[in-house]
Amino acid sequence: MKDDPGAVSIKNGKFIITYTVPSKYRVPEEVSEGFGKGGHAKGWLYYITLPYYFTAEAKLTSYSYAGTVTFDYAPPDQPTLNGTATLEKPSPNPIKLEGSKVDVKINVKGELLGYTNSSNIEEWVFYVREKDGSAKADMKKEYGKMLTATKSFDFQIPASRVTSDSFKQDYALTVIIRFKNPVITKAGPITSLEQKMDLSAGVYKTTNPITYPSIPGTPTKPEGKPPIARISAPKYVKAGSDMMVYGGASSDPDGYITDYAWGTPGAQGEIGNTARGYIWYTREQVGQTYPIMLTVVDNDGLTGSTSIEVTVIEPTPSASLEISGSLKQNRKTTLTNSSTSPNRFPIIKSKTQVTISAVSGGTNADIKYSGSLAELESKDVLFRKPGKYRATIHVENTAGYAADGEITFDIAPDEVPSVYFDIPQKMYRDPEKGNKAILQIMDRSFSTDKDVLNRRIWEYRYDSNNDGRFTDERWEIFSNENEIAPKLELNQVGRYEIRLTVFEEFGQPTIEDYVTEADRRSADSYTDPIKQALVERTVEIDNRAPEVDWDL
């Protein structure tokens, strides 16, 4: 409200803005005839202006570092569900079959990133099922209002299922988060997020198919509880892509991890005595599956081992585009090439092809940008007409693979402003003010789509022949200085009609080369279909009746 922001509070996930009336903003107002005698009463009109948008400050996770910092990924800028699955049993994996069964323990974790409103979380759902086999499944829920949730699942591999010397049981895992109220994302509102994962547990009878790495110098008869080795890595990796292998989730029930030994047969690159590292596979290894092994040592000298498998797939690129900026008519938007490819087989820039076309509403001639879309990395684009548009992209990489992608998006119309003002319906000429009536007007106009009202033209016309019509009268401008609360001095008795015309300036960035002054929206209080009612834009000026006093 101009310079008075009011009081802001949050209740049940909603913003509540409170103003006090009377406020400090007021203008003189003519009091009614019953109070006007003798000049003992003075009238004030108190007002507030309530725009239909506000600025909010969100508390986000912040980071503070010193020195040189590098990140393995960019923090998500919208709600993102990250799911991880850890095989806690058997340990090691695979394990030798002894007895009638092998116990399997799976830990599933869900982490909501890029979102902080935990009160809007309805529930977490965790689901694990065996692939093939007996198709056993289990589901668990978490109703706590938390951004991270974890559940553990217990399964068994019966000895009867191990029909060969080496057996592998695959599991399909799903973590879902549901929201009470829809969450707005770049792709539109969502009510849930879902992440699927895979995990395998191995059993052998006589010969272990995996050779775990060892760490020299460990005690032969240590004491204490052994550590649990855990590996996190993708199940599939594209040839030529660096893949991060992570063992930092390994733990020790009675101490801490001191050493990591990795085994990555067939992989390019090595991982030292560290919790994580990067490896990659060649194009010739496409279609092959390779083991990744980890042995960890705790502070008591005890060891724990586990393994996973990764399959190498074709080094195809991923073709994608992003549109950002104000998706509104005559505003600057930015089309960005967000395609990716394995880093050892980069995209060939000269073969990138991008098109933008109109689907409905506008035409291709309404799409404006400088230069060409060849070899696109980023391009500022302006759309002259609202409607639905489509952008496509074709990319090729140095491995000879190609991919295509497209996005469809809507360009909103530039809405005309809403025009409305307040005036008294009747006023009296004041002898103390040169026999004039001073009309105080208050503008209530606003932009419906957050543009700026940067010009106001105020006009009036007088019913000179008192025939009840204004159409035969001429408009006179009395203010052209963008006044919100102008005053109009009137000295003739009769009826006057007031007209306000407001002009907008773009409230968001544009590309000036493709717009003109005529593209700025305007509206007035007189023109259909949004005109203000005639009774609300007319005022009658009259003389006060004389006061008569009989002295007998």
Side-chain angles (χ1 to χ4, degrees):
M1 187 179 70
K2 285 193 172 183
D3 300 324
D4 185 4
V8 181
S9 61
I10 302 176
K11 184 176 182 181
N12 298 327
K14 297 180 178 179
F15 288 91
I16 300 174
I17 306 176
T18 305
Y19 296 95
T20 301
V21 179
S23 71
K24 64 182 181 179
Y25 298 104
R26 64 181 187 177
V27 294
E29 183 180 43
E30 189 74 21
V31 298
S32 65
E33 185 175 357
F35 287 96
K37 295 180 179 180
H40 300 297
K42 191 172 185 179
W44 292 100
L45 170 64
Y46 292 87
Y47 66 91
I48 58 175
T49 301
L50 297 176
Y52 285 90
Y53 55 90
F54 60 91
T55 300
E57 181 178 314
K59 294 182 178 180
L60 302 175
T61 303
S62 60
Y63 302 89
S64 177
Y65 299 96
T68 301
V69 179
T70 60
F71 291 93
D72 293 313
Y73 68 98
D77 58 357
Q78 62 177 346
T80 303
L81 178 59
N82 181 43
T84 56
T86 301
L87 185 70
E88 296 187 1
K89 293 181 181 179
S91 181
N93 177 45
I95 197 169
K96 185 176 182 179
L97 176 63
E98 295 181 356
S100 61
K101 61 181 177 61
V102 170
D103 290 327
V104 177
K105 187 179 184 64
I106 300 172
N107 182 274
V108 185
K109 177 182 178 182
E111 185 178 11
L112 183 59
L113 307 174
Y115 189 77
T116 59
N117 184 15
S118 60
S119 63
N120 192 39
I121 296 175
E122 182 73 31
E123 63 179 3
W124 288 88
V125 180
F126 298 85
Y127 181 76
V128 179
R129 68 173 178 85
E130 294 177 342
K131 289 185 176 181
D132 304 322
S134 63
K136 180 183 177 184
D138 194 6
M139 183 183 73
K140 296 181 180 182
K141 291 189 176 184
E142 172 61 58
Y143 296 100
K145 310 295 184 182
M146 55 188 69
L147 300 177
T148 300
T150 304
K151 292 293 181 184
S152 293
F153 295 83
D154 296 308
F155 290 84
Q156 292 180 347
I157 302 176
S160 60
R161 200 177 295 174
V162 187
T163 58
S164 62
D165 187 52
S166 181
F167 173 79
K168 184 174 66 173
Q169 177 63 62
D170 296 322
Y171 297 89
L173 310 97
T174 304
V175 58
I176 302 171
I177 186 170
R178 295 194 175 104
F179 301 101
K180 291 191 299 184
N181 300 308
V183 176
I184 304 302
T185 70
K186 293 179 180 178
I190 60 171
T191 57
S192 65
L193 290 169
E194 179 176 325
Q195 179 72 47
K196 294 183 179 294
M197 296 158 284
D198 293 302
L199 186 143
S200 300
V203 183
Y204 65 93
K205 287 184 177 181
T206 58
T207 304
N208 190 347
I210 297 297
T211 301
Y212 298 110
S214 60
I215 298 180
T218 58
T220 56
K221 294 183 179 180
E223 297 181 354
K225 296 180 179 180
I228 299 173
R230 298 184 176 94
I231 301 175
S232 295
K235 188 175 180 65
Y236 300 94
V237 61
K238 291 182 178 181
S241 288
D242 286 327
M243 179 181 73
M244 187 180 78
V245 182
Y246 183 67
S250 303
S251 62
D252 180 36
D254 60 351
Y256 53 89
I257 304 297
T258 61
D259 295 282
Y260 300 82
W262 294 92
T264 57
Q268 308 299 310
E270 295 183 357
I271 307 175
N273 186 2
T274 180
R276 68 176 179 180
Y278 292 88
I279 58 175
W280 63 280
Y281 298 88
T282 67
R283 185 177 178 183
E284 291 70 31
Q285 294 172 296
V286 170
Q288 302 297 313
T289 298
Y290 297 89
I292 298 175
M293 297 84 75
L294 171 64
T295 296
V296 294
V297 183
D298 67 12
N299 58 310
D300 295 320
L302 289 166
T303 63
S305 301
T306 191
S307 68
I308 63 169
E309 291 181 334
V310 59
T311 299
V312 184
I313 60 176
E314 294 180 328
T316 57
S318 174
S320 61
L321 291 165
E322 294 181 356
I323 188 78
S324 60
S326 300
L327 301 185
K328 189 166 70 169
Q329 174 185 9
N330 286 323
R331 303 307 193 271
K332 183 178 76 172
T333 62
T334 301
L335 187 67
T336 303
N337 182 355
S338 54
S339 303
T340 59
S341 183
N343 53 304
R344 286 169 181 81
F345 303 109
I347 290 174
I348 303 172
K349 188 175 180 181
S350 62
K351 293 188 177 182
T352 299
Q353 302 172 15
V354 176
T355 66
I356 312 175
S357 58
V359 177
S360 62
T363 66
N364 290 350
D366 296 316
I367 305 170
K368 302 295 183 181
Y369 53 87
S370 62
S372 72
L373 298 177
E375 304 183 4
L376 175 78
E377 293 184 359
S378 180
K379 176 73 69 174
D380 291 336
V381 185
L382 181 140
F383 298 87
R384 296 278 298 161
K385 296 290 180 62
K388 187 178 292 292
Y389 295 84
R390 178 182 294 118
T392 66
I393 183 170
H394 173 86
V395 297
E396 298 181 24
N397 66 12
T398 55
Y401 291 87
D404 297 282
E406 70 173 42
I407 56 171
T408 301
F409 50 92
D410 294 311
I411 297 298
D414 189 359
E415 304 287 353
V416 299
S418 177
V419 181
Y420 188 86
F421 58 86
D422 291 336
I423 58 171
Q425 293 184 357
K426 190 171 185 178
M427 290 194 68
Y428 296 94
R429 296 197 299 178
D430 189 347
E432 296 182 359
K433 297 179 180 179
N435 215 24
K436 296 179 181 179
I438 301 178
L439 180 64
Q440 177 70 65
I441 308 174
M442 180 56 59
D443 182 24
R444 310 294 186 189
S445 304
F446 61 92
S447 171
T448 58
D449 53 358
K450 301 183 181 180
D451 288 330
V452 179
L453 302 184
N454 71 328
R455 185 183 175 199
R456 292 171 172 83
I457 297 178
W458 294 93
E459 302 170 273
Y460 76 93
R461 57 184 177 181
Y462 173 53
D463 184 7
S464 60
N465 54 12
N466 197 29
D467 63 355
R469 295 186 299 112
F470 292 96
T471 54
D472 56 342
E473 306 292 348
R474 187 178 64 179
W475 288 105
E476 299 284 347
I477 296 177
F478 67 91
S479 175
N480 191 18
E481 299 180 356
N482 199 32
E483 291 187 85
I484 297 177
K487 293 181 180 180
L488 175 60
E489 295 185 358
L490 302 172
N491 56 14
Q492 290 183 286
V493 172
R495 295 174 68 246
Y496 293 80
E497 180 184 4
I498 309 298
R499 180 169 70 179
L500 167 62
T501 304
V502 297
F503 299 84
E504 286 186 348
E505 180 54 63
F506 297 144
Q508 306 83 30
T510 187
I511 305 178
E512 292 292 346
D513 291 343
Y514 305 121
V515 296
T516 66
E517 195 62 32
D519 292 317
R520 275 74 173 176
R521 291 289 184 254
S522 64
D524 64 67
S525 57
Y526 179 78
T527 306
D528 286 329
I530 57 173
K531 70 178 180 181
Q532 190 170 348
L534 179 61
V535 68
E536 296 176 334
R537 48 191 168 89
T538 58
V539 59
E540 181 182 359
I541 305 301
D542 201 357
N543 290 319
R544 294 191 184 279
E547 296 184 10
V548 178
D549 186 12
W550 293 93
D551 187 8
L552 298 177

